[in-house]
Amino acid sequence: MGELTWNEKYNLITRNLGEWLGDEKLKSILKERDLKIYWGTATTGKPHIGYFTPMLKIADFLNAGAEVTILFADLHAYLDNMKAPWELLELRTSYYEVIIKAMLKSIGVPLDKLKFVKGTDYQLSKEYTLDMYRLSSIVTEHDAKKAGAEVVKQIANPLLSGLLYPGLQALDEEYLHIDAQFGGIDQRKIFTFSEKYLPMLGYDKRIHLMNPMIPGLAGAKMSSSEEDSKIDLLDGASTVKKKLKKAFCEPGNINDNGILTFSKHVIFSLLKKGESYNVPRSKDFGGDISFSTYEELEAAFAKEEIHPGDLKNAAEIYINRLLDPIRKEFDTCPKLKSLVSKAYPPQKQKVVDEIVPSRLDIKVGKIVDVKKHPDADSLYVEKIDLGENNGPRTIVSGLVNFVPIEEMQDRMVLVLANLKAANLRGIQSHGMVLCASVDEPTRQVEPLRPPENSNPGDRVFVEGYESGTPDDVLNPKKKVWEKLQADLIVNGDGEASWNGNVLVTSNGGKIIADSLRNVPIK
């Protein structure tokens, strides 16, 4: 590829930006020479997949011939309400440098064209410190607070450090000797603060380039401090699946959709010439479908031609491709593993009795014997083989009015095996047969049906919650079963699911109901 024209460089630098300030200056510099740009990141929480958005713009800048400096803003991290404790600053800065370089390598950005700088390498110098004092003598408290409103953590009794933060970011532009600063559109107030105050110190006003904000998985801004709003760069494939399944992705909603936005700014930007964005779908729903442009994908989703679940599955494939080389680099290097654990030591957490479906011990069982309860007309007494060494369990079920006794014999069922034993009309019941059940307009009950290739004792998991150990016995006082049962349903496809995640056996088979749809599981 030959030398780009200034106009082609301008288009590369500004494409996909949310906004930029200083357009005329940008054009005039590009007509004379290449641009000098810096992007800074405060070394606080762990970088997440949202960081691929600025990485792709950095690739654009480099392809446009720009000189790019990446600033690891360690001092900023401390000033922002001490998000990074002083004793962890150096470790976190080291982690940021390693992980961001790994991200850039993952998307094919050459590191030799980049300059990496640590804030404390120059922000503690005599000259910089004197400029901070000079700035503090002309900046009002109102302007400093307003500038940091969307970036610095807001608390009831703000610290003076938060007021210093915007001044540092403004001075960085002068001390890094750049023409333009690049950041998120949430930093716009800091950028306009810089444009107002730097000239008062006799320094040039810089160009400001702003990326749109990527919505988080729960809607709103993707945040390092909100675990469920983002996918960490070292999350495993199962965690990626789990977080994407929980992600907010409303049918037809193209405005507050983190998965669509990530697809636009990252996935489509990485597609090579001739490649398409592939959305895998079952043959029942038209089979796989591909899109050559983001606009086509967005239009199809807006018309609800693409189901949110299919969009999530597509994004999952592309995200794992991006993360695989990063995960591999950390998995194969003990030093990097040690760095992560030291930079982000596990916090002492309050003991929380987390209500998650992995606490349920659900097993496939085979009814080997069934009789009517001698003292209750509506109850069966079943012997159910759960593959246990001490033989079949006795379980009492209220199915007499719904399933003929001959259909119960030798039937494969699903059993909740860690309920506390209960005395039902004089007979101890050691579990519960799980059924699809509806009360209106007439009561209907169907035992759930395991896959045909199931064996007694096969464990059943909620997809995405395969890890974790079931309780030995569910504590009835804490109502663990009742709380989890509220989100157990048979979905519109006849599949047993919890909170949108299907129930599967250890070999991946799904649990179904014969005829009931969109009803609770009890």
Side-chain angles (χ1 to χ4, degrees):
M1 188 172 74
E3 177 67 23
L4 298 177
T5 66
W6 77 264
N7 201 46
E8 288 171 328
K9 292 177 181 180
Y10 172 84
N11 290 334
L12 257 181
I13 287 168
T14 59
R15 74 169 181 172
N16 288 335
L17 289 178
E19 185 184 2
W20 60 97
L21 305 174
D23 189 63
E24 288 306 314
K25 185 173 184 178
L26 173 59
K27 290 174 179 174
S28 66
I29 291 175
L30 287 174
K31 288 174 184 177
E32 298 293 326
R33 59 172 174 82
D34 288 326
L35 205 65
K36 297 177 181 178
I37 304 173
Y38 107 82
W39 173 73
T41 180
T43 52
T44 53
K46 282 186 181 178
H48 47 70
I49 62 164
Y51 276 60
F52 276 111
T53 313
M55 295 304 107
L56 263 295
K57 279 311 302 174
I58 287 169
D60 282 345
F61 300 153
L62 291 170
N63 289 331
E67 294 179 26
V68 180
T69 298
I70 291 180
L71 169 67
F72 298 113
D74 48 355
L75 194 53
H76 291 67
Y78 182 72
L79 291 175
D80 187 1
N81 202 40
M82 295 182 289
K83 281 185 182 176
W86 193 262
E87 63 274 12
L88 293 180
L89 273 179
E90 191 171 345
L91 289 165
R92 290 197 177 174
T93 303
S94 297
Y95 174 74
Y96 264 68
E97 183 168 353
V98 171
I99 200 80
I100 284 174
K101 285 179 177 178
M103 290 179 75
L104 290 164
K105 285 189 283 185
S106 170
I107 59 175
V109 176
L111 301 182
D112 57 347
K113 292 186 177 182
L114 288 165
K115 182 180 178 183
F116 296 92
V117 177
K118 191 164 68 172
T120 48
D121 288 342
Y122 65 91
Q123 289 164 348
L124 301 177
S125 69
K126 177 182 176 182
E127 295 77 15
Y128 191 98
T129 304
L130 285 173
D131 270 342
M132 272 301 297
Y133 285 130
R134 288 175 63 206
L135 197 58
S136 67
S137 71
I138 57 175
V139 173
T140 66
E141 178 190 359
H142 171 269
D143 281 3
K145 194 171 182 180
K146 178 183 175 185
E150 292 187 41
V151 177
V152 179
K153 186 175 180 180
Q154 300 299 299
I155 57 176
N157 296 301
L159 300 171
L160 180 60
S161 58
L163 299 179
L164 297 177
Y165 189 110
L168 266 74
Q169 193 163 336
L171 286 176
D172 290 341
E173 296 180 348
E174 176 65 23
Y175 280 79
L176 291 172
H177 311 294
I178 50 87
D179 305 307
Q181 182 179 176
F182 167 58
I185 207 161
D186 62 335
Q187 300 196 40
R188 191 183 197 281
K189 290 176 182 176
I190 288 183
F191 292 161
T192 56
F193 171 95
S194 173
E195 292 189 4
K196 175 180 177 180
Y197 283 105
L198 274 192
M200 292 185 186
L201 296 180
Y203 298 140
D204 290 339
K205 182 166 74 172
R206 265 60 179 196
I207 299 159
H208 292 104
L209 311 168
M210 287 166 272
N211 248 354
M213 300 310 295
I214 294 282
L217 300 179
K221 173 184 170 183
M222 195 177 294
S223 167
S224 296
S225 60
E226 295 179 27
E227 187 62 29
D228 284 342
S229 80
K230 50 86 182 179
I231 291 170
D232 187 274
L233 296 169
L234 298 179
D235 278 344
S238 62
T239 304
V240 171
K241 178 187 285 289
K242 176 181 172 181
K243 288 184 176 179
L244 284 173
K245 278 185 174 291
K246 294 167 70 176
F248 177 78
C249 188
E250 189 176 48
N253 184 346
I254 60 173
N255 297 314
D256 187 17
N257 190 321
I259 296 172
L260 272 181
T261 311
F262 186 82
S263 298
K264 176 182 180 179
H265 290 280
V266 179
I267 298 172
F268 272 92
S269 295
L270 287 168
L271 293 178
K272 295 181 174 63
K273 192 172 181 179
E275 285 185 336
S276 298
Y277 184 104
N278 187 54
V279 179
R281 298 189 301 185
S282 69
K283 290 182 180 178
D284 295 341
F285 294 100
D288 294 0
I289 184 169
S290 296
F291 300 92
S292 56
T293 67
Y294 170 74
E295 289 71 24
E296 292 172 359
L297 172 66
E298 184 184 271
F301 191 82
K303 294 175 188 172
E304 299 190 27
E305 293 170 359
I306 300 294
H307 188 273
D310 294 327
L311 181 66
K312 290 179 180 184
N313 289 339
E316 181 185 343
I317 293 167
Y318 289 108
I319 287 170
N320 279 320
R321 281 184 198 167
L322 282 172
L323 298 187
D324 276 341
I326 301 172
R327 293 187 290 225
K328 185 176 180 181
E329 184 171 339
F330 275 75
D331 286 345
T332 56
C333 181
K335 284 186 178 179
L336 292 182
K337 284 184 178 180
S338 174
L339 174 62
V340 178
S341 62
K342 288 177 181 176
Y344 297 92
Q347 295 179 333
K348 290 182 180 178
Q349 296 181 341
K350 297 177 183 176
V351 178
V352 177
D353 211 8
E354 192 179 10
I355 306 298
V356 289
S358 55
R359 295 179 64 175
L360 303 178
D361 186 13
I362 302 175
K363 293 180 179 178
V364 173
K366 182 179 181 180
I367 300 174
V368 294
D369 185 54
V370 56
K371 296 182 174 65
K372 283 191 175 181
H373 194 294
D375 298 316
D377 293 340
S378 63
L379 301 179
Y380 285 131
V381 179
E382 304 129 358
K383 296 286 186 183
I384 302 182
D385 178 10
L386 295 178
E388 295 171 322
N389 292 332
N390 52 355
R393 292 195 188 193
T394 298
I395 294 178
V396 179
S397 303
L399 294 170
V400 170
N401 297 325
F402 305 102
V403 185
I405 194 167
E406 58 272 15
E407 291 182 20
M408 293 290 288
Q409 187 67 42
D410 295 325
R411 182 176 183 134
M412 300 294 281
V413 291
L414 230 62
V415 173
L416 178 60
N418 60 341
L419 278 178
K420 186 176 181 181
N423 190 310
L424 298 178
R425 302 292 292 271
I427 295 179
Q428 282 273 314
S429 180
H430 298 273
M432 179 168 68
V433 175
L434 296 179
C435 301
S437 176
V438 62
D439 294 329
E440 299 291 342
T442 56
R443 183 158 166 72
Q444 298 178 68
V445 180
E446 292 177 356
L448 295 175
R449 197 175 289 277
E452 289 185 4
N453 59 349
S454 299
N455 296 305
D458 285 353
R459 277 286 312 278
V460 174
F461 307 90
V462 173
E463 201 170 56
Y465 293 87
E466 293 88 347
S467 60
T469 305
D471 293 10
D472 291 334
V473 178
L474 295 172
N475 188 334
K477 290 182 180 179
K478 295 186 177 178
K479 298 191 178 298
V480 176
W481 162 243
E482 288 80 0
K483 290 173 183 175
L484 291 168
Q485 187 269 329
D487 291 313
L488 273 171
I489 66 164
V490 173
N491 64 25
D493 296 323
E495 300 163 348
S497 66
W498 180 84
N499 206 17
N501 304 312
V502 294
L503 272 65
V504 292
T505 56
S506 48
N507 60 11
K510 294 179 180 179
I511 311 301
I512 61 168
D514 290 340
S515 64
L516 294 178
R517 301 290 182 268
N518 297 314
V519 299
I521 293 172
K522 300 179 181 178

